[in-house]
Amino acid sequence: MSLAVLYSRALDGLCAQSVTVEVHLANGLPAFNLVGLADTEVRESRERVRAALQVAGFEFPNRRITVNLAPADLPKGAGHYDLAIAVGVLAASGQLPCDHLADYEFAGELGLTGQLRAVRGGLAFAMAARDAQRTLIISASSSDEAALIQNATILSAAHLLEVCHHLSGTQLLPPALAPADRASPTYPDLADVKGQSSARRGLEVAAAGNHSLLLIGPPGTGKSMLAQRLPGLLPPLLEFEALEAAAIQSLGQNGLDFRRVGQRPFRSPHHTASSVALVGGGSIPQPGEISLAHHGVLFLDELPEFDRKVLEVLREPLESGKIHISRAARQAEFPARFQLVAAMNPCPCGYLGHLKKACRCTPEQVLRYRNRISGPLLDRIDMVVEVPAIPDTVLLAKGQSEGSLLVRERVCAARARQLARQGHNNSTLLGAAMETHCQTDAAGLAMLQNAIQKLAWSARAYHRVLRVARTIADLAGSEAILTPHLAEAIQYRRGIE
């Protein structure tokens, strides 16, 4: 037989699209042609496959070889097609049986010695192969990652010869197994933060309702410490949430770190990050920081130092929980259900309102500094909490504050009430659900009306105050939103105006 048909996958956002690898051998001048909208790294597989087959002891056909990656209009990138192409060449030349090739999918990059290297997107490949009811043969370096998908048949191979022995029936490949000793998630403890009772309370409310949060205070008051401890206050990830987060991590440049599987992501990009780095993009769309923070926390320190155009790209993902990237040749959609936490100084020098250090900024400088953050973006932030300088007596006092474990118990109880009542977190309450679950008494309505008039709230701001008040009521174990709950929620909103 001079034709072999195999299956592989092309990464398209978080999905793995099916790719049929057709290898045909014909008479004529020796050539190795690769067609099917292949990028440079795929076209280079011709040399890797040629060298790997020869080093492994196989005969490289001295014929006209044509490899077609179908469908032709789907862009193909990365080097994981090497294994499918090599097996296809061997099967088409009669050096391997091709009776059961349709039962398998292949993903692995070949070294010149025939060794199989790790590939990106192992989780996506495994999910797609399971849905297609095929067995995935993948490089051993990526098999642990792929084995996280339940009910998928994954075989691990470290060398091209191992794959050939398996297909020949002489020595079967071992099934891939997920690491059994996955460590429990570890987070910094809130007990490390001294004082800051109001900021700790704001952090607890934000964690309980999945609300976005802006911390404002002088340098060295603990804004970054508080933000870093937020993931430790959140409930454990559900199994599907952990797999979603891990699948996005596996698409990144650094791949998946097994030590962090099941742990809430915490991303903290530097303020020099570009808009593409933040939301994703590229000629072949890659996930950005907001997608890598899916089901976790995105922390933007020194918020006014970010380029204003970069910050503006956050407006749509904050509302929708996803990002759609469009390029001339490619489109991709990535999930981005993250919790935004930002931090900033009150003024350029940082000491406006400090008890001991005088501020050197003029009112115009302070206004210009704060205007770096647009009104529409601020309108999408649920809570603003001041983080003042810590008094010496508190800083030097012995003992620890309340730890993350006790706070997490209250947060989990509040979130359990939300799930039992409406099936999702308070931060995503909309429309009729808000009318049903965010009712308050007459005194509360009067307080809200007064705040709307005096603070000139938008409809979005009004709804966000109601959601925060609903979360405060859940923390208190109250079925109804009472006036004290509304008063606290309004106080968190006043810092934005």
Side-chain angles (χ1 to χ4, degrees):
M1 175 172 291
S2 60
L3 177 66
V5 180
L6 304 88
Y7 296 97
S8 187
R9 294 279 167 179
L11 291 175
D12 183 15
L14 200 55
C15 301
Q17 303 288 351
S18 179
V19 172
T20 302
V21 181
E22 301 171 329
V23 182
H24 180 256
L25 272 62
N27 295 325
L29 293 175
F32 195 157
N33 299 315
L34 189 61
V35 297
L37 204 58
D39 288 341
T40 303
E41 58 266 35
V42 182
R43 293 196 299 269
E44 290 174 345
S45 67
R46 295 174 296 188
E47 306 307 323
R48 293 193 295 268
V49 168
R50 187 194 307 273
L53 291 180
Q54 292 174 343
V55 171
F58 294 102
E59 178 187 353
F60 189 80
N62 194 25
R63 301 173 66 185
R64 185 176 185 85
I65 303 172
T66 302
V67 177
N68 179 39
L69 305 178
D73 60 344
L74 179 66
K76 322 297 190 307
H80 61 264
Y81 300 101
D82 291 2
L83 179 58
I85 294 173
V87 172
V89 170
L90 293 175
S93 60
Q95 300 179 70
L96 272 182
C98 55
D99 301 335
H100 302 288
L101 290 181
D103 299 332
Y104 296 96
E105 292 186 5
F106 300 87
E109 179 183 333
L110 282 173
L112 299 184
T113 61
Q115 295 285 341
L116 290 176
R117 295 195 172 98
V119 297
R120 289 192 305 111
L123 276 171
F125 294 146
M127 286 189 284
R130 177 197 61 188
D131 296 341
Q133 298 183 342
R134 294 194 187 101
T135 298
L136 175 64
I137 298 180
I138 194 170
S139 55
S141 303
S142 301
S143 61
D144 292 349
E145 172 187 330
L148 292 174
I149 303 300
Q150 297 180 355
N151 303 322
T153 306
I154 312 296
L155 300 180
S156 172
H159 197 279
L160 174 62
L161 285 175
E162 296 180 6
V163 178
C164 297
H165 292 157
H166 176 85
L167 295 175
S168 301
T170 57
Q171 185 176 355
L172 299 182
L173 288 170
L177 299 175
D181 55 345
R182 282 165 53 183
S184 300
T186 57
Y187 306 99
D189 200 329
L190 191 60
D192 299 335
V193 180
K194 291 192 174 183
Q196 303 296 4
S197 57
S198 61
R200 293 165 64 94
R201 169 65 177 175
L203 199 68
E204 181 177 342
V205 173
N210 200 47
H211 300 294
S212 51
L213 175 66
L214 175 60
L215 303 170
I216 301 179
T221 55
K223 301 186 294 296
S224 298
M225 287 186 66
L226 287 163
Q228 291 163 1
R229 280 145 184 82
L230 178 59
L233 307 184
L234 302 176
L237 285 171
L238 300 177
E239 185 65 24
F240 82 93
E241 292 176 334
L243 285 178
E244 276 189 356
I248 297 173
Q249 296 288 334
S250 72
L251 297 179
Q253 295 295 328
N254 297 326
L256 178 64
D257 184 357
F258 274 95
R259 296 171 297 180
R260 302 185 64 84
V261 173
Q263 184 167 327
R264 293 270 182 184
F266 181 84
R267 306 291 299 186
S268 180
H270 193 261
H271 61 257
T272 56
S274 65
S275 58
V276 172
L278 203 59
V279 302
S283 56
I284 300 177
Q286 299 291 317
E289 293 290 342
I290 63 172
S291 296
L292 294 172
H294 185 55
H295 293 312
V297 176
L298 176 68
F299 177 47
L300 302 182
D301 200 6
E302 304 294 344
L303 186 65
E305 302 300 330
F306 281 82
D307 186 270
R308 182 164 177 152
K309 293 182 179 179
V310 172
L311 292 179
E312 293 306 297
V313 301
L314 293 175
R315 286 159 55 175
E316 180 186 344
L318 277 172
E319 297 285 342
S320 64
K322 58 186 177 182
I323 180 68
H324 187 83
I325 300 170
S326 295
R327 296 294 182 265
R330 299 283 304 267
Q331 291 81 40
E333 185 175 279
F334 295 103
R337 186 67 67 184
F338 60 94
Q339 186 168 0
L340 175 65
V341 180
M344 61 178 287
N345 297 327
C347 66
C349 76
Y351 295 104
L352 181 65
H354 198 281
L355 296 177
K356 294 183 178 180
K357 293 189 177 182
C359 175
R360 303 186 302 272
C361 305
T362 65
E364 292 78 10
Q365 289 175 323
V366 175
L367 183 62
R368 194 181 306 115
Y369 178 74
R370 296 195 174 188
N371 282 343
R372 294 179 185 175
I373 308 169
S374 70
L377 179 61
L378 282 176
D379 203 41
R380 287 168 167 82
I381 295 178
D382 296 328
M383 302 168 56
V384 171
V385 175
E386 291 190 7
V387 187
I390 307 173
D392 298 341
T393 54
V394 175
L395 186 62
L396 299 175
K398 300 295 183 181
Q400 286 187 325
S401 305
E402 187 179 36
S404 295
L405 182 60
L406 295 176
V407 179
R408 183 167 61 245
E409 290 177 356
R410 297 196 294 268
V411 168
C412 290
R415 289 211 176 192
R417 295 187 186 99
Q418 298 165 33
L419 293 176
R421 182 177 60 242
Q422 72 246 6
H424 51 80
N425 296 324
N426 288 336
S427 63
T428 54
L429 276 171
L430 294 172
M434 289 196 65
E435 295 289 336
T436 303
H437 304 303
C438 296
Q439 294 293 330
T440 184
D441 53 17
L445 285 174
M447 179 183 293
L448 271 176
Q449 185 175 6
N450 186 40
I452 291 172
Q453 291 176 351
K454 289 189 175 181
L455 300 176
W457 283 346
S458 66
R460 182 188 288 116
Y462 163 70
H463 290 148
R464 289 182 182 273
V465 167
L466 279 181
R467 293 177 192 140
V468 174
R470 179 67 265 176
T471 299
I472 295 171
D474 288 335
L475 282 170
S478 173
E479 291 296 327
I481 299 176
L482 305 178
T483 304
H485 307 148
L486 274 172
E488 184 177 354
I490 292 171
Q491 196 64 32
Y492 291 134
R493 189 72 197 179
R494 282 177 60 89
I496 299 178
E497 311 303 331

